[in-house]
Amino acid sequence: MADLERTEKATPKRRSEARKKGQVAKSREISSVSVLLAGLLALFFLGSYYYQQLSTLMIQFFENVGNFSITPGNIQALQKQLIGSFLLILSPFLGVVVAVSILSNYVQVGGFFSLELIKPDLSKVSPIKGFSRLFSLQSLLELLKSLCKMLIVGGVAYYTIKKELPNILPLMDQEVGSILKYIGLVSFDIFLKTVLVMVLLAGLDYIYQRWSYEKGLRMSKQEIKDEGKQAEGDPLVRARIRSIQRELARRRMMAEVPKADVIITNPSHLAVALYYKGEEMEAPKLLAKGAGFVAEKLKEIGREHKIPILENKPLAQILYKTVEVGQMIPTTLYHLVADVLAFVYRMKKKAF
């Protein structure tokens, strides 16, 4: 049971798979607060601009209201003109809000896009699972966050307006512009205080979302072992592949033995086969080597093809340990190998 407990940190592969499925550590509160704060600051710094633009638009509209008549034929053109004018005026504000919305998400999850979360899934419309999600810990936390936000907004608005009550009655003697300016400043004060408190709430929510995400990705020791097997392959399969590769290499090596000039033995445990063609090769080459059964097989092939088999225990041992199949003999062993080859060539000449 202990091995099935998810106590280990997620592997990079697990994180990558979760990311592809759209599972990332993200707080919606950060995006919401960022958009609210950006919109609030944009309205604060662009307030005079919007006041002038809207005033100009209204003045133009009312000045020309007697110069045209509204008919079914021109009402659509008038609507398009007014909507286009409003959108043009609001474009800086909308641009800031959209840019901050994209940036707040990018900072949290990076360059990430996935369609997994919007794919149809019948399990999401299951009444039983829907009921369980409704009363889950996540739903409870979302409810608590909503209540906290309502209390924050209500509390900040209440205390701010209560503080401003002495300044409300004198507004009756002020001009419309001054009243609007006062209302705007008080509203800005309420929104700013609310957003600043919600920034703290968003930070806490992001910490929780990060912790919950890491907890959900945790793996058991068995899962890590299984993932390692999948990445590297089953040990039994890999062992079988290596065995087949060794067998194929041994067969190729045995096929080269008939070309050998001499086989040097240990006398019974080791055997190495050498080949040398003076006009084509700079040094003799080790065609094959083996120990135990393979050594006996080399000697058997040598006897079948009438290849000289010489016993030289020191030379056989050093060639077996230091030279790989297919490699040339190192210069340090030239004189030892040369003596053997010379002896073999003399034997061959006598035989002829």
Side-chain angles (χ1 to χ4, degrees):
M1 290 294 294
D3 194 42
L4 296 177
E5 294 180 359
R6 295 186 173 184
T7 57
E8 308 301 315
K9 289 185 177 181
T11 61
K13 181 182 178 182
R14 179 68 169 264
R15 294 179 184 277
S16 177
E17 289 176 350
R19 189 174 177 84
K20 289 178 182 178
K21 294 178 182 178
Q23 299 174 4
V24 291
K26 176 186 173 184
S27 171
R28 287 179 293 180
E29 301 300 325
I30 288 183
S31 301
S32 301
V33 171
S34 299
V35 169
L36 283 174
L37 186 58
L40 186 62
L41 294 176
L43 288 175
F44 178 79
F45 290 106
L46 298 174
S48 58
Y49 165 78
Y50 286 127
Y51 178 79
Q52 293 175 358
Q53 293 295 319
L54 291 173
S55 297
T56 302
L57 182 63
M58 293 178 67
I59 289 172
Q60 290 177 352
F61 180 79
F62 286 118
E63 284 181 347
N64 297 314
V65 71
N67 298 332
F68 61 87
S69 59
I70 299 176
T71 63
N74 66 6
I75 189 169
Q76 287 187 345
L78 182 60
Q79 287 177 342
K80 290 181 180 178
Q81 182 180 358
L82 287 174
I83 292 173
S85 299
F86 274 113
L87 288 177
L88 186 63
I89 293 172
L90 292 174
S91 58
F93 172 79
L94 295 176
V96 170
V97 170
V98 171
V100 170
S101 175
I102 296 173
L103 182 62
S104 64
N105 285 281
Y106 179 82
V107 169
Q108 292 188 77
V109 301
F112 168 72
F113 181 77
S114 175
L115 297 175
E116 289 292 329
L117 295 179
I118 61 175
K119 283 185 177 179
D121 187 357
L122 295 178
S123 65
K124 293 181 179 179
V125 296
S126 171
I128 297 176
K129 291 187 176 181
F131 188 79
S132 63
R133 286 196 298 267
L134 185 63
F135 294 95
S136 64
L137 177 61
Q138 184 68 27
S139 299
L140 179 60
L141 290 173
E142 292 296 328
L143 176 62
L144 290 175
K145 284 194 296 183
S146 299
L147 291 175
C148 285
K149 287 189 284 187
M150 291 175 60
L151 291 174
I152 289 170
V153 174
V156 171
Y158 172 76
Y159 285 108
T160 303
I161 293 174
K162 182 179 180 181
K163 186 180 68 174
E164 293 294 332
L165 281 177
N167 300 323
I168 292 178
L169 290 177
L171 290 177
M172 293 185 295
D173 299 328
Q174 301 292 326
E175 297 180 354
V176 174
S178 300
I179 294 174
L180 291 175
K181 182 178 180 181
Y182 175 79
I183 293 174
L185 291 174
V186 173
S187 300
F188 177 81
D189 186 35
I190 292 173
F191 276 112
L192 183 60
K193 290 177 180 178
T194 302
V195 169
L196 291 178
V197 176
M198 289 180 65
V199 166
L200 177 61
L201 182 64
L204 295 175
D205 181 66
Y206 179 76
I207 293 173
Y208 168 76
Q209 295 295 339
R210 191 77 190 181
W211 173 82
S212 178
Y213 174 75
E214 293 293 336
K215 182 181 178 182
L217 286 183
R218 284 179 187 170
M219 303 171 67
S220 66
K221 293 180 179 179
Q222 184 60 44
E223 286 176 328
I224 293 178
K225 290 179 181 178
D226 293 341
E227 184 180 295
K229 288 181 179 179
Q230 291 177 358
E232 300 176 4
D234 191 292
L236 296 176
V237 175
R238 286 187 286 119
R240 177 61 178 163
I241 291 173
R242 286 196 296 266
S243 176
I244 293 173
Q245 290 174 340
R246 285 194 297 267
E247 181 60 29
L248 292 174
R250 188 179 298 119
R251 290 181 181 179
R252 288 194 298 269
M253 182 182 71
M254 292 300 185
E256 293 290 314
V257 174
K259 299 192 312 185
D261 292 309
V262 63
I263 295 176
I264 305 172
T265 66
N266 187 24
S268 58
H269 299 296
L270 300 177
V272 294
L274 300 178
Y275 169 74
Y276 180 61
K277 198 168 185 179
E279 60 272 16
E280 297 179 2
M281 302 169 60
E282 295 181 359
K285 182 168 69 173
L286 191 143
L287 287 182
K289 67 177 181 178
F293 172 78
V294 178
E296 291 298 327
K297 189 66 176 175
L298 288 175
K299 289 186 285 184
E300 180 182 335
I301 295 174
R303 286 190 289 267
E304 289 177 1
H305 292 82
K306 298 181 180 180
I307 300 171
I309 300 175
L310 301 179
E311 180 182 335
N312 189 327
K313 186 175 181 179
L315 183 57
Q317 288 180 340
I318 194 169
L319 288 174
Y320 183 84
K321 292 179 180 179
T322 61
V323 185
E324 296 298 326
V325 175
Q327 289 184 348
M328 298 295 181
I329 303 302
T331 56
T332 54
L333 300 177
Y334 276 0
H335 64 286
L336 297 175
V337 175
D339 291 341
V340 172
L341 290 175
F343 177 75
V344 170
Y345 293 151
R346 287 195 298 269
M347 288 178 57
K348 287 183 179 181
K349 288 180 180 180
K350 290 179 181 181
F352 285 108

